[in-house]
Amino acid sequence: MTPVPFLVSPFSPLSYDLMLFLLFPDVDPGPGMQKPQLLVPVMATPNGTLVHPAYFLLVGIPGLGPDIHFWLAFPLCFMYAMATLGNLAIVLIIRVERRLHEPMYLFLAMLSTIDLVLSSVTMPKMASLFLTGIQEIGFNVCLAQMFLIHALSAMESAVLLAMAFDRFVAICHPLRHASVLTGSTVAKIGLAALTRGFVFFFPLPFILKRLSYCQTHMVTHSFCLHQDIMKLSCSDTRVNVVYGLFIILSVMGVDSLFIGFSYILILKTVLELASQGAALKAFNTCISHLCAVLVFYVPLIGLSVVHRLGGPTSLLHVIMANIYLLLPPVVNPVVYGAKTKEIRSRVLHMFSQGGR
């Protein structure tokens, strides 16, 4: 395969417009000319020339003008500050308090770390898009963001499954909890979650790079997702569709089934307890985790369903994707901070010390 030096013939009508745009990118091309998309020819293949855009254009929220986008940036910045401070506080409290070095809290520290990174991957770029109106995101930067979003989501799903297993052992087999979930076991589970998220989603940027993008380069979200980028290609995307469906079912699908099965066994054990007070106390330890599971999986399932229905990306797709990515990092610290006595007391102690 040999590189192709030109995408457009130097004698074609478009070449003059392209030269003007390259020399004077800020000049209005006028009513008779359109500002051409910058396309980068990569290589010649048996099926034709492989073309990648120099950048994608992020839409934000379709149907909203720049003024509304500008004002939406402020609550988004507030959400990012809440997500950062909340998750960072949980990680630091669990690290400092030795009595919190138990499986439940160690898994919570992993969840907060993932949420901290995930919010940093998505929210600052969204806020910049809304504030400045600069839509361009480099092709490789977009693929890197897409990989991190999907890989971190898979890691979060694995940690939620590990937390469900922790609650199952603590309630159904309390005498074996300390021997089953040792410190080394918790560390191995965390490493397995990290490895699985990386391995399963590492091929995604490469199978997107094998596609040609010779049509629109408008990404209809405020960030890059595999389904959205795939729809912009003018190549055969069957490999992407099959692999995307495979990893969704084998990662999030399997995790959600095991979480549901764990809670069926937990509910069965709780209902068999003789004392109603003991049953409520046992189930109360699961409330925070149940909220985290619902916040994560309900938007994910909804987003997967609306994408699988086909058709152009709609406002519903965008809203579901925003809820799926933006809500958990903000809600999880609030829920766990409010429902976990040890974390709540530590936070109140920090504020009382700071007020003196």
Side-chain angles (χ1 to χ4, degrees):
M1 293 185 288
T2 57
V4 178
F6 292 103
L7 176 64
V8 181
S9 167
F11 301 104
S12 67
L14 181 59
S15 62
Y16 178 69
D17 298 354
L18 181 59
M19 289 173 62
L20 284 178
F21 177 64
L22 290 172
L23 292 172
F24 308 101
D26 296 325
V27 176
D28 186 1
M33 283 185 279
Q34 291 185 341
K35 186 182 286 188
Q37 300 267 6
L38 287 182
L39 301 174
V40 180
V42 181
M43 63 182 65
T45 66
N47 297 325
T49 303
L50 188 61
V51 180
H52 290 167
Y55 52 78
F56 287 114
L57 297 175
L58 300 172
V59 170
I61 301 178
L64 300 183
D67 292 338
I68 300 178
H69 273 126
F70 177 81
W71 290 110
L72 283 177
F74 295 99
L76 183 63
C77 291
F78 177 71
M79 288 175 64
Y80 179 55
M82 281 188 62
T84 302
L85 294 175
N87 287 294
L88 196 58
I90 287 179
V91 172
L92 292 177
I93 289 171
I94 294 173
R95 178 185 172 86
V96 170
E97 291 286 342
R98 294 191 63 84
R99 61 194 176 94
L100 297 182
H101 292 183
E102 299 177 6
M104 180 174 68
Y105 300 111
L106 294 176
F107 288 135
L108 176 57
M110 295 179 195
L111 185 70
S112 294
T113 303
I114 293 169
D115 282 339
L116 190 62
V117 179
L118 184 60
S119 62
S120 298
V121 168
T122 54
M123 292 188 188
K125 179 60 183 175
M126 284 184 65
S128 172
L129 167 66
F130 290 173
L131 280 172
T132 65
I134 298 175
Q135 297 177 285
E136 293 86 353
I137 180 170
F139 179 74
N140 290 322
V141 175
C142 186
L143 294 186
Q145 186 191 52
M146 179 272 306
F147 164 73
L148 288 173
I149 288 174
H150 290 298
L152 290 166
S153 298
M155 295 173 199
E156 182 156 349
S157 177
V159 172
L160 289 173
L161 174 58
M163 296 173 83
F165 178 68
D166 169 70
R167 291 298 85 207
F168 162 72
V169 177
I171 294 173
C172 300
H173 305 282
L175 298 179
R176 299 178 57 191
H177 184 262
S179 60
V180 172
L181 285 165
T182 61
S184 61
T185 303
V186 171
K188 289 175 183 176
I189 291 174
L191 183 61
L194 180 67
T195 304
R196 190 188 67 161
F198 181 84
V199 169
F200 270 83
F201 290 90
F202 185 70
L204 283 186
F206 299 99
I207 63 175
L208 285 172
K209 277 194 168 187
R210 56 176 283 278
L211 301 178
S212 196
Y213 302 87
C214 48
Q215 298 176 4
T216 179
H217 307 132
M218 197 76 68
V219 179
T220 50
H221 290 86
S222 307
F223 34 77
C224 298
L225 296 175
H226 174 251
Q227 306 96 315
D228 211 23
I229 301 173
M230 180 183 66
K231 289 181 179 180
L232 302 180
S233 172
C234 53
S235 305
D236 186 359
T237 60
R238 279 178 293 183
V239 172
N240 300 70
V241 172
V242 171
Y243 187 73
L245 185 60
F246 165 72
I247 54 178
I248 282 291
L249 293 177
S250 59
V251 176
M252 279 73 164
V254 170
D255 289 353
S256 60
L257 285 177
F258 276 113
I259 291 172
F261 183 64
S262 298
Y263 271 100
I264 290 173
L265 297 177
I266 289 171
L267 188 61
K268 179 176 179 294
T269 302
V270 167
L271 293 176
E272 289 175 352
L273 292 175
S275 169
Q276 186 177 3
L280 288 174
K281 185 178 179 181
F283 197 74
N284 190 52
T285 62
C286 303
I287 296 297
S288 301
H289 179 253
L290 271 175
C291 291
V293 168
L294 292 175
V295 167
F296 179 80
Y297 278 104
V298 170
L300 172 63
I301 293 170
L303 183 63
S304 299
V305 168
V306 294
H307 269 297
R308 295 296 176 269
L309 291 177
T313 304
S314 65
L315 183 60
L316 179 62
H317 292 75
V318 177
I319 292 174
M320 293 295 291
N322 286 336
I323 293 173
Y324 164 60
L325 285 180
L326 304 182
L327 201 60
V330 177
V331 171
N332 287 341
V334 175
V335 171
Y336 276 99
K339 292 295 295 180
T340 308
K341 180 182 177 181
E342 291 80 1
I343 294 176
R344 184 173 67 250
S345 61
R346 180 67 181 181
V347 171
L348 292 175
H349 178 70
M350 288 168 59
F351 276 107
S352 63
Q353 291 282 27
R356 292 177 183 177

